[in-house]
Amino acid sequence: MTTVANSVGQKKGFGATLWDWLTTVDHKKIGILYLIGGGFFFVLGGIEAMLIRLQLLIPNNDFVSAGFFNELITMHGTTMIFLAAMPLLFGFMNAIVPLQIGARDVAFPFINSLGFWMFFFGGLFLNLSWFLDAAPDAGWTSYASLSIASTGHGIDFYAIGLQIAGAGTLMAGINFLVTIINMRAPGMTYMRMPLFTWTTFVASALILFAFPPLTIGIFFLTFDRMFGGNFFDHTMGGNTIIWEHIFWIFGHPEVYILILPAFGIFSEIFSVFSRKRLFGYSAMVFATVLIGFLGFMVWAHHMFTVGLGPTANAIFAVATMAIAVPTGVKIFNWLLTMWGGSIKITTPMLYALGFIPSFVMGGVTGVQQGAAPLDYQLHDSYFIVAHFHYVIVGGVVLAILAATHYWWPKMFGTMLSEKLGKITFWFFFIGFHMTFFLQHFLGLMGMPRRVWTYMDGQGWNLFNLISTIGAILMAIGVIVLIINIIVTTARNERVGNDPWEDGRTLEWAIPSPPPFYNFAQTPLVRGLDTYWIEKQEGHKGYTAAEPVTDIHMPNGSIIPFFMTLGLFIAGFGAMYRVDHSWGLGVLVFGLAFTFLTMAIRSVKDDLGYYVTKDQIRRMERGRD
Amino acid sequence: MAHDIEIIEKTPAEYAYKKRRSDRLMRSQLMMFALMIFMTLISFAAVQAGFSAYFVIPVVLLLAAVQVGLQLYYFMHMSEKGHGLVAFFMYGGILIAFLTVLTFVTIIWW
Ligand code: HEM
Ligand SMILES: [Cu+2]
């Protein structure tokens, strides 16, 4: 039984297993790699957060130094956004979207692997700053005047690390777009795509348009810091405000890149565990696309206090508030999906229920901040910190935790313990509100954002204390989740195709975990909630669109790993070029290495291989 | 590893239809090509004639934009079926880029 679950079917040694993972182009394995990588950085960012909260536990604390505190907040934000939240979402997108649309893999398996390795090496590069020099310390937004003035190599690590990781993200985004446009099974029209696929699609489109500005901004910063450029230096005719614009032209769409897939995850969960089709499907799709568009027209709401002038502020304020409309449409649709449904409170559903009030609170503070005159009061205070944690933790992180429970059986073939899952939820949910709710009031009382410490007697002590206790509760929740994962994996009780019993979409029609070719026959999609329709008609599995034929599969490749390694080496060269003569050589070597691997990839034909009909029949028979 | 290659023969009617269609396409492409060369000539002439820069620059930019459109629709077949999504992405991107540039021009560089 378990032998079939493995793609190769025999027990392999450690070396062979490692090689398998380094070279894999299978979207399901890359999904798991993203989860491991993202999970690692999530824990790292969490440790940074705990240190921040311990420092703010009591007034006049000197648990960490002021300089180290700046490094902590910068690395916490950067890690959580770029290296934890996004890769974790990518993990689920990779693992699930091809299954939902009835495809055997993504459109560009090679690029998929390249995208993962670039994220991973970029993150590694960024975090090596802790050991090699000092970590970046100008905030995750790295505003130019501050970041150019920062001494040491910290900001260089930020610029180059994010450049590499960002390129990987862009590739992943393009790959998902092409996959969803071109690889849908027969009958899977756009308006039959599950909402998670839809939101992945729109988030990928946002990546396509939002990451190039980030790339350019970071190149400017790199040139200013390492190659004598003056893009942001006003004494040389540059303009420091331009960085803020470029960063937020990327940055605001980025927050929607995070939240849209979260919306998708919850849409699936609400409908499955209310055992009803999603209320207002087409309105949901339309709202998603509209949010995508509006997301590009509001970036200056992060810059109200820069002095753009009343006209610009007014325009951006109105545009910002407009986004609340499609978001509200979504909230009501979720509520109406539950209305009259036969609701089953599983762990994922619990997260979904907790998400609605939490995210609504984040949305409400967002609209408040969107009112430009009020934002003069709120800007750069703890109110902002409360807002974005309500949307990011109350939205994105809850979605990631929900998806972990929801899709774990599909990805790994075992079911996470529901009991431990609920314990995680309650610790995390209560801890989350304890940590961030009072921060709204700290902000209104005048506590500025990103402060290292604060004085006694301002009435901030109690709220900061409660906030830190809340953070500890969240950490306990995460630890319980990790225990849950370990226990479940050790117990290894295999589950069937549809372990929640209420699966509606195609991924639940195939084994958990799916065989490496996903679908023995390409499925025929006959409507929204494909698998639900089949179940209603008493079918087992799905309706096939074709007879069993040979399946064409891509070969694994180590080239993506080496391609990225070259860039990683070149990054060090670019950075140390400033103070060592060998730097230039390393830079050239690294780039040459990458180009060499690209050349090899272009010249060497790799046409993949075929799984024959007989092999497929044998494997499908072996299953049950 | 036999992979069946399907060979589909065209019926005479299909053949005639395809031929008529490609003839029509060819004609329109040639006409557009001539038109585009003509527009390029106008641009060069406008610069050569020494008109005011405030006149020449908008005219050249406008002609360039028209040429991009012709290129897309007549040479890159954007008007044909199955290009709807591409068009949507392009116009979406153009809209966003336009608004962004407009903002920069009005609030940073004005
Ligand atoms: C109803 C929708 C939303 C509105 C109207 C809104 C509005 C705003 C505004 C006006 C600010 C700037 C406040 C200031 O710095 O003075 C802001 C900051 C922020 N928002 Fe939102 N927001 C919304 C949803 C979201 C979502 C869904 C996310 C992420 C998932 C998010 C993440 C952030 C972040 C990270 C910041 C802080 C950035 C920084 O300065 O470091 N927001 N929001
Ligand atoms: Cu924003």
Side-chain angles (χ1 to χ4, degrees), chain A residues 81 140-141 143 247-248 251-252 254-260 263 298 300-305 319-325 327 359 362-371 375-376 378-381 384-385 387-393 395-396 449-450:
Chain A
I81 299 251
W140 83 284
T141 50
Y143 277 10
F247 186 86
W248 289 117
H252 190 85
E254 166 68 14
V255 305
Y256 284 98
I257 292 167
L258 295 175
I259 201 68
L260 288 179
F263 287 171
V298 299
H301 66 210
H302 296 271
M303 303 169 62
F304 283 147
T305 58
T320 299
M321 293 181 202
I323 294 202
V325 177
T327 314
F359 184 79
V364 169
T365 53
V367 176
Q368 291 175 322
Q369 291 160 193
D375 191 55
Y376 269 74
L378 307 175
H379 183 64
D380 263 349
S381 76
I384 305 301
V385 179
H387 158 70
F388 66 73
H389 283 95
Y390 262 85
V391 279
I392 294 183
V393 182
V396 183
R449 170 180 184 188
R450 296 175 173 164

Coordinates of all heavy atoms in Angstrom, one line a residue, chain A residues 81 140-141 143 247-248 251-252 254-260 263 298 300-305 319-325 327 359 362-371 375-376 378-381 384-385 387-393 395-396 449-450, ligand 1:
Chain A
I81 N 6.7 38.4 6.1 CA 6.0 38.7 4.8 C 6.6 37.9 3.6 O 5.9 37.2 2.9 CB 6.1 40.2 4.5 CG1 5.4 41.0 5.6 CG2 5.5 40.4 3.1 CD1 4.1 41.6 5.2
W140 N 11.1 46.8 7.7 CA 10.9 46.0 6.5 C 10.6 46.9 5.3 O 10.8 46.5 4.1 CB 9.7 45.0 6.7 CG 8.3 45.5 6.5 CD1 7.6 46.3 7.3 CD2 7.5 45.3 5.3 NE1 6.4 46.6 6.8 CE2 6.3 46.0 5.6 CE3 7.6 44.6 4.2 CZ2 5.2 46.0 4.7 CZ3 6.5 44.6 3.3 CH2 5.3 45.3 3.5
T141 N 10.2 48.2 5.5 CA 10.0 49.1 4.4 C 11.3 49.8 3.9 O 11.3 50.3 2.9 CB 9.0 50.2 4.9 OG1 9.5 50.7 6.1 CG2 7.7 49.6 5.1
Y143 N 13.0 52.5 4.2 CA 12.9 53.8 3.6 C 14.3 54.4 3.3 O 15.2 54.3 4.1 CB 12.1 54.8 4.6 CG 10.6 54.7 4.4 CD1 10.1 53.7 3.7 CD2 9.8 55.6 5.0 CE1 8.7 53.6 3.6 CE2 8.4 55.5 4.9 CZ 7.9 54.5 4.2 OH 6.5 54.4 4.1
F247 N 8.2 51.5 -3.3 CA 8.0 50.4 -2.3 C 6.5 50.1 -2.1 O 6.1 49.0 -2.1 CB 8.7 50.7 -1.0 CG 8.6 49.5 0.0 CD1 9.5 48.5 -0.1 CD2 7.5 49.4 0.8 CE1 9.4 47.4 0.8 CE2 7.4 48.3 1.7 CZ 8.4 47.3 1.6
W248 N 5.7 51.2 -2.0 CA 4.3 50.9 -1.8 C 3.5 50.6 -3.0 O 2.5 50.0 -2.9 CB 3.7 52.1 -1.0 CG 4.2 52.2 0.4 CD1 4.9 53.2 1.0 CD2 4.0 51.2 1.4 NE1 5.2 52.9 2.3 CE2 4.7 51.7 2.5 CE3 3.4 50.0 1.4 CZ2 4.7 50.9 3.7 CZ3 3.5 49.2 2.6 CH2 4.1 49.7 3.7
G251 N 4.1 47.4 -2.4 CA 3.8 46.9 -1.0 C 2.3 46.8 -0.8 O 1.8 45.8 -0.2
H252 N 1.5 47.7 -1.4 CA 0.1 47.5 -1.1 C -0.5 46.3 -1.9 O -1.1 45.4 -1.3 CB -0.8 48.7 -1.4 CG -2.2 48.5 -0.9 ND1 -2.5 48.6 0.4 CD2 -3.2 47.9 -1.5 CE1 -3.8 48.1 0.6 NE2 -4.2 47.7 -0.6
E254 N 1.1 43.8 -2.5 CA 1.6 42.6 -1.8 C 0.7 42.2 -0.7 O 0.5 41.0 -0.5 CB 3.0 43.0 -1.2 CG 3.6 42.1 -0.1 CD 3.9 40.7 -0.7 OE1 4.0 40.5 -1.9 OE2 4.1 39.8 0.1
V255 N 0.1 43.1 0.1 CA -0.8 42.7 1.1 C -2.0 42.0 0.6 O -2.5 41.1 1.2 CB -1.2 43.8 2.1 CG1 0.0 44.5 2.7 CG2 -2.2 44.8 1.5
Y256 N -2.4 42.3 -0.7 CA -3.5 41.6 -1.3 C -3.0 40.3 -1.9 O -3.8 39.3 -2.0 CB -4.2 42.5 -2.3 CG -5.1 43.4 -1.6 CD1 -4.7 44.7 -1.3 CD2 -6.3 43.0 -1.0 CE1 -5.4 45.6 -0.6 CE2 -7.0 43.8 -0.3 CZ -6.6 45.1 0.0 OH -7.4 46.0 0.7
I257 N -1.8 40.2 -2.3 CA -1.2 38.9 -2.7 C -1.3 37.9 -1.5 O -1.6 36.7 -1.7 CB 0.3 39.1 -3.1 CG1 0.3 39.9 -4.4 CG2 0.9 37.7 -3.4 CD1 1.7 40.4 -4.8
L258 N -1.1 38.4 -0.3 CA -1.3 37.6 0.9 C -2.7 37.3 1.2 O -3.1 36.1 1.5 CB -0.6 38.2 2.1 CG 0.9 38.5 2.0 CD1 1.4 39.2 3.2 CD2 1.6 37.1 2.0
I259 N -3.6 38.3 1.2 CA -4.9 38.0 1.7 C -5.8 37.3 0.7 O -6.7 36.5 1.1 CB -5.5 39.3 2.2 CG1 -6.7 39.0 3.2 CG2 -6.1 40.2 1.1 CD1 -6.2 38.5 4.5
L260 N -5.6 37.5 -0.6 CA -6.5 36.9 -1.5 C -6.5 35.3 -1.4 O -7.6 34.7 -1.3 CB -6.3 37.4 -3.0 CG -6.7 38.8 -3.3 CD1 -6.4 39.2 -4.7 CD2 -8.2 39.0 -3.0
F263 N -8.4 34.4 1.5 CA -9.9 34.4 1.2 C -10.3 33.1 0.5 O -11.3 32.5 0.7 CB -10.2 35.6 0.3 CG -10.2 36.9 0.9 CD1 -10.3 38.1 0.2 CD2 -10.1 37.0 2.3 CE1 -10.3 39.3 0.8 CE2 -10.1 38.3 2.9 CZ -10.2 39.4 2.1
V298 N -4.1 52.5 -4.6 CA -4.2 53.1 -3.3 C -2.9 53.2 -2.5 O -2.9 53.6 -1.4 CB -5.2 52.1 -2.4 CG1 -6.5 52.0 -3.1 CG2 -4.6 50.8 -2.3
A300 N -0.6 55.3 -2.1 CA -0.2 56.5 -1.4 C -0.9 56.6 0.0 O -0.5 57.5 0.7 CB -0.5 57.7 -2.2
H301 N -1.8 55.7 0.3 CA -2.4 55.8 1.7 C -1.3 55.4 2.8 O -1.6 55.7 3.9 CB -3.7 55.0 1.9 CG -3.5 53.5 1.8 ND1 -4.5 52.7 1.3 CD2 -2.5 52.6 2.1 CE1 -4.1 51.4 1.3 NE2 -2.9 51.4 1.8
H302 N -0.2 54.9 2.3 CA 0.9 54.7 3.3 C 1.7 56.0 3.4 O 2.7 56.0 4.2 CB 1.8 53.5 2.8 CG 1.0 52.2 2.8 ND1 1.0 51.4 3.9 CD2 0.3 51.6 1.8 CE1 0.3 50.3 3.6 NE2 -0.1 50.5 2.3
M303 N 1.4 57.0 2.6 CA 2.3 58.2 2.6 C 1.5 59.4 2.8 O 1.9 60.5 2.4 CB 2.9 58.2 1.2 CG 3.7 57.0 0.9 SD 4.2 56.9 -0.8 CE 5.3 58.4 -0.9
F304 N 0.3 59.3 3.5 CA -0.5 60.5 3.7 C 0.3 61.6 4.4 O 0.1 62.8 4.1 CB -1.7 60.2 4.6 CG -2.8 59.5 3.8 CD1 -3.6 58.5 4.5 CD2 -3.1 59.7 2.5 CE1 -4.6 57.9 3.8 CE2 -4.1 59.1 1.8 CZ -4.9 58.2 2.5
T305 N 1.2 61.3 5.3 CA 1.9 62.3 6.1 C 3.1 62.8 5.4 O 3.9 63.6 6.0 CB 2.2 61.7 7.5 OG1 3.0 60.6 7.3 CG2 1.0 61.4 8.3
A319 N -10.1 56.2 -2.9 CA -9.8 54.9 -3.5 C -9.6 53.8 -2.5 O -10.1 52.7 -2.6 CB -8.5 55.0 -4.4
T320 N -9.0 54.2 -1.4 CA -8.7 53.2 -0.3 C -10.0 52.7 0.3 O -10.3 51.5 0.5 CB -7.9 53.8 0.8 OG1 -6.6 54.2 0.3 CG2 -7.7 52.9 2.0
M321 N -10.9 53.6 0.5 CA -12.2 53.2 1.2 C -13.0 52.4 0.2 O -13.8 51.5 0.6 CB -13.0 54.5 1.6 CG -12.3 55.2 2.7 SD -13.2 56.6 3.2 CE -12.0 57.6 4.0
A322 N -12.8 52.6 -1.1 CA -13.6 51.8 -2.1 C -13.3 50.3 -2.0 O -14.1 49.5 -2.2 CB -13.3 52.3 -3.5
I323 N -12.1 50.0 -1.6 CA -11.7 48.6 -1.5 C -12.6 47.9 -0.4 O -12.8 46.7 -0.5 CB -10.2 48.4 -1.1 CG1 -9.4 48.9 -2.2 CG2 -9.9 46.9 -0.8 CD1 -8.0 48.3 -2.2
A324 N -13.0 48.6 0.6 CA -13.8 48.0 1.6 C -15.1 47.4 1.0 O -15.7 46.4 1.6 CB -14.2 49.0 2.7
V325 N -15.6 47.9 -0.1 CA -16.8 47.4 -0.7 C -16.7 46.0 -1.2 O -17.5 45.1 -0.7 CB -17.4 48.4 -1.8 CG1 -18.6 47.8 -2.4 CG2 -17.6 49.8 -1.2
T327 N -14.6 43.9 -0.4 CA -14.2 43.0 0.8 C -15.5 42.7 1.6 O -15.7 41.6 2.0 CB -13.2 43.8 1.6 OG1 -12.2 44.3 0.8 CG2 -12.6 42.8 2.6
F359 N -10.8 39.5 11.0 CA -10.5 40.2 9.8 C -11.4 41.5 9.7 O -10.9 42.5 9.2 CB -10.6 39.3 8.5 CG -10.2 40.1 7.3 CD1 -8.8 40.2 7.0 CD2 -11.1 40.7 6.5 CE1 -8.4 40.9 5.9 CE2 -10.7 41.4 5.4 CZ -9.4 41.5 5.1
G362 N -9.8 44.2 11.4 CA -8.7 44.8 10.7 C -9.1 45.7 9.5 O -8.5 46.7 9.3
G363 N -10.2 45.3 8.9 CA -10.8 46.1 7.8 C -11.3 47.4 8.3 O -11.1 48.4 7.7
V364 N -11.9 47.4 9.4 CA -12.5 48.6 10.0 C -11.4 49.6 10.3 O -11.5 50.8 10.0 CB -13.4 48.3 11.2 CG1 -13.7 49.6 11.9 CG2 -14.6 47.6 10.8
T365 N -10.3 49.1 11.0 CA -9.2 50.0 11.3 C -8.6 50.5 10.0 O -8.1 51.6 9.9 CB -8.2 49.4 12.2 OG1 -7.8 48.2 11.6 CG2 -8.7 49.2 13.6
G366 N -8.6 49.6 9.0 CA -8.0 50.0 7.7 C -8.7 51.2 7.1 O -8.1 52.2 6.7
V367 N -10.1 51.2 7.1 CA -10.8 52.3 6.6 C -10.6 53.5 7.4 O -10.5 54.6 6.9 CB -12.3 51.9 6.5 CG1 -13.2 53.0 6.0 CG2 -12.5 50.7 5.6
Q368 N -10.5 53.3 8.7 CA -10.2 54.5 9.6 C -8.9 55.2 9.1 O -8.8 56.4 9.0 CB -10.1 54.1 11.0 CG -11.5 53.7 11.6 CD -11.4 53.2 13.0 OE1 -10.5 52.5 13.4 NE2 -12.4 53.5 13.8
Q369 N -7.9 54.3 8.9 CA -6.6 54.9 8.5 C -6.7 55.5 7.1 O -5.9 56.4 6.7 CB -5.5 53.8 8.5 CG -5.2 53.3 9.9 CD -4.5 51.9 9.9 OE1 -4.4 51.3 10.9 NE2 -4.1 51.4 8.8
G370 N -7.6 55.0 6.3 CA -7.8 55.5 5.0 C -8.3 56.9 5.0 O -8.2 57.6 4.0
A371 N -8.9 57.3 6.1 CA -9.4 58.7 6.1 C -8.1 59.6 6.4 O -7.6 59.6 7.5 CB -10.4 58.9 7.2
D375 N -5.6 59.8 9.7 CA -4.3 59.0 9.6 C -3.2 59.9 10.1 O -2.1 59.3 10.6 CB -4.1 58.6 8.2 CG -2.9 57.6 8.2 OD1 -3.0 56.6 8.9 OD2 -1.9 57.8 7.4
Y376 N -3.3 61.2 10.1 CA -2.2 62.1 10.6 C -2.0 61.7 12.1 O -0.9 61.8 12.7 CB -2.5 63.5 10.5 CG -2.0 64.1 9.2 CD1 -2.6 63.8 8.0 CD2 -0.9 64.9 9.2 CE1 -2.1 64.3 6.8 CE2 -0.4 65.4 8.0 CZ -1.0 65.1 6.8 OH -0.5 65.6 5.6
L378 N -2.9 58.6 13.4 CA -2.7 57.2 13.6 C -1.3 56.8 13.1 O -0.7 55.8 13.6 CB -3.8 56.4 12.9 CG -5.2 56.8 13.3 CD1 -6.2 56.0 12.5 CD2 -5.4 56.5 14.8
H379 N -0.9 57.5 12.1 CA 0.3 57.0 11.3 C 1.5 56.8 12.3 O 1.7 57.6 13.2 CB 0.7 58.0 10.3 CG 1.8 57.6 9.4 ND1 1.8 56.5 8.6 CD2 3.1 58.1 9.3 CE1 3.0 56.4 8.0 NE2 3.8 57.3 8.4
D380 N 2.2 55.7 12.0 CA 3.5 55.4 12.8 C 3.2 55.3 14.3 O 4.1 55.5 15.1 CB 4.6 56.5 12.5 CG 5.5 55.9 11.4 OD1 5.4 54.7 11.1 OD2 6.4 56.7 11.0
S381 N 2.0 54.9 14.7 CA 1.7 54.6 16.1 C 1.4 53.1 16.2 O 1.3 52.4 15.1 CB 0.5 55.4 16.6 OG -0.7 54.9 16.1
I384 N -1.3 51.4 13.9 CA -1.0 50.8 12.6 C -0.5 49.4 12.9 O -0.9 48.4 12.1 CB 0.1 51.6 12.0 CG1 -0.3 53.1 11.8 CG2 0.5 51.0 10.6 CD1 -1.5 53.3 11.0
V385 N 0.3 49.2 13.9 CA 0.8 47.8 14.2 C -0.4 46.9 14.5 O -0.5 45.8 14.0 CB 1.7 47.9 15.4 CG1 2.2 46.5 15.8 CG2 2.9 48.8 15.1
H387 N -3.5 47.3 13.4 CA -4.3 47.1 12.1 C -3.6 46.0 11.3 O -4.3 45.1 10.9 CB -4.3 48.4 11.3 CG -4.5 48.2 9.8 ND1 -5.7 47.7 9.3 CD2 -3.7 48.2 8.7 CE1 -5.6 47.5 8.0 NE2 -4.4 47.8 7.6
F388 N -2.3 46.1 11.0 CA -1.9 45.2 10.0 C -1.7 43.8 10.6 O -1.7 42.8 9.9 CB -0.6 45.7 9.3 CG 0.6 45.9 10.0 CD1 1.4 44.8 10.4 CD2 1.1 47.2 10.2 CE1 2.6 45.0 11.1 CE2 2.3 47.4 10.8 CZ 3.0 46.3 11.3
H389 N -1.6 43.7 12.0 CA -1.6 42.4 12.5 C -3.0 41.8 12.5 O -3.1 40.6 12.4 CB -0.9 42.4 13.9 CG 0.6 42.4 13.9 ND1 1.3 43.6 14.0 CD2 1.5 41.4 13.7 CE1 2.5 43.3 13.9 NE2 2.7 42.0 13.7
Y390 N -4.0 42.6 12.7 CA -5.3 42.1 12.6 C -5.6 41.5 11.2 O -6.3 40.4 11.0 CB -6.4 43.1 13.0 CG -6.8 42.9 14.4 CD1 -6.1 43.5 15.4 CD2 -7.9 42.1 14.7 CE1 -6.4 43.2 16.8 CE2 -8.2 41.8 16.0 CZ -7.5 42.4 17.0 OH -7.8 42.2 18.4
V391 N -5.2 42.2 10.1 CA -5.4 41.6 8.8 C -4.5 40.5 8.5 O -4.9 39.5 7.9 CB -5.4 42.7 7.7 CG1 -6.7 43.4 7.6 CG2 -4.2 43.7 7.9
I392 N -3.2 40.6 8.9 CA -2.2 39.6 8.5 C -2.3 38.4 9.4 O -2.4 37.2 8.9 CB -0.8 40.1 8.4 CG1 -0.7 41.2 7.3 CG2 0.2 39.0 8.1 CD1 0.6 41.8 7.1
V393 N -2.4 38.5 10.7 CA -2.5 37.4 11.5 C -3.9 36.9 11.5 O -4.2 35.7 11.3 CB -2.0 37.6 12.9 CG1 -2.1 36.4 13.8 CG2 -0.5 38.1 12.9
G395 N -6.1 37.3 9.4 CA -6.5 36.8 8.0 C -5.6 35.8 7.5 O -5.9 34.6 7.4
V396 N -4.4 36.2 7.2 CA -3.5 35.3 6.4 C -3.0 34.2 7.3 O -3.1 33.0 6.9 CB -2.3 36.1 5.9 CG1 -1.4 35.2 5.1 CG2 -2.7 37.3 5.1
R449 N 5.2 53.5 16.9 CA 5.6 52.2 16.4 C 7.1 52.1 16.4 O 7.8 53.1 16.3 CB 5.1 52.3 14.9 CG 5.4 51.2 14.1 CD 4.8 51.5 12.7 NE 5.1 50.3 11.9 CZ 4.9 50.2 10.6 NH1 4.3 51.1 10.0 NH2 5.3 49.1 10.0
R450 N 7.7 50.9 16.4 CA 9.1 50.6 16.3 C 9.9 51.3 17.3 O 11.1 51.7 17.1 CB 9.6 51.1 14.9 CG 9.0 50.3 13.7 CD 9.5 50.8 12.4 NE 9.0 50.0 11.3 CZ 8.9 50.3 10.1 NH1 9.3 51.5 9.7 NH2 8.5 49.4 9.2
Ligands
HEM1 C1 -10.2 47.2 4.1 C2 -9.0 47.0 3.6 C3 -7.8 47.8 4.1 C4 -7.6 49.2 4.2 C5 -8.7 50.2 3.9 C6 -6.3 49.4 4.7 C7 -5.7 50.6 4.9 C8 -4.4 50.8 5.4 C9 -3.8 52.1 5.6 C10 -4.5 53.4 5.2 C11 -2.6 51.9 6.0 C12 -1.5 53.0 6.3 C13 -1.6 53.5 7.7 C14 -0.4 54.3 8.1 O1 0.8 53.8 8.0 O2 -0.6 55.4 8.5 C15 -2.4 50.5 6.2 C16 -1.2 49.9 6.6 C17 -1.0 48.5 6.5 N1 -1.9 47.6 6.0 FE1 -3.8 47.9 5.6 N2 -5.7 48.2 4.8 C18 -6.6 47.2 4.5 C19 -6.3 45.9 4.4 C20 -5.1 45.3 4.6 C21 -4.8 43.9 4.4 C22 -5.8 42.9 3.9 C23 -3.5 43.7 4.7 C24 -2.7 42.5 4.7 C25 -3.1 41.3 4.6 C26 -3.0 45.0 5.2 C27 -1.7 45.2 5.6 C28 -1.2 46.4 6.0 C29 0.2 46.6 6.4 C30 1.3 45.5 6.5 C31 0.3 47.9 6.7 C32 1.5 48.6 7.4 C33 2.6 48.8 6.5 C34 3.7 49.5 7.2 O3 3.7 50.7 7.3 O4 4.7 48.7 7.6 N3 -4.0 45.9 5.1 N4 -3.5 49.9 5.8

